[in-house]
Amino acid sequence: AYKVQFKRIQDSAYTDRPEALCREDAMRLEVPPECPTSFELSGLVMGVLYNVRVLTRNANDAGYRDIGRVVTAVPIFKPSSPAVNPRVLELSTSSVTLAFDPPSGID
């Protein structure tokens, strides 16, 4: 069995993701069910640093154990399209000032 947990880097406690859980009762079957080996965390805040970890447990174990590796990641926004209407506002021998309209999907 395993479960995925995450937390903001400044927080002390991890949060379980119930949908990222391969349950131990399913692991006791003669033919194990299909348990995903990847998981997409949703609902994270763009630009916030998160720690993500996987905890495992076998049928003989009383609790979950950390596998010893924590991944740190920052969610980023990938626009649905490139910037619109790029244009040069000012140009000099040492600088350029550009402007553009944001792509769709950005608040």
Side-chain angles (χ1 to χ4, degrees):
Y2 67 84
K3 63 182 172 179
V4 175
Q5 294 183 324
F6 76 101
K7 72 178 187 83
R8 290 188 219 192
I9 198 130
Q10 70 269 19
D11 294 343
S12 57
Y14 280 88
T15 300
D16 286 342
R17 290 307 289 245
E19 64 274 24
L21 174 66
C22 184
R23 295 187 0 235
E24 56 273 4
D25 58 341
M27 298 298 284
R28 290 190 186 107
L29 299 173
E30 281 186 31
V31 179
E34 291 296 319
C35 289
T37 56
S38 65
F39 181 76
E40 179 179 331
L41 288 172
S42 59
L44 303 178
V45 178
M46 182 174 49
V48 173
L49 198 59
Y50 289 90
N51 282 345
V52 181
R53 69 182 183 180
V54 177
L55 302 172
T56 62
R57 172 181 168 174
N58 65 30
N60 301 323
D61 200 353
Y64 285 94
R65 293 178 189 233
D66 188 345
I67 61 173
R69 180 156 188 245
V70 174
V71 176
T72 301
V74 178
I76 59 171
F77 177 75
K78 183 177 179 182
S80 58
S81 62
V84 180
N85 192 23
R87 56 202 177 277
V88 176
L89 298 180
E90 288 184 38
L91 184 60
S92 75
T93 57
S94 62
S95 70
V96 62
T97 303
L98 304 173
F100 58 89
D101 298 328
S104 63
I106 295 181
D107 295 331

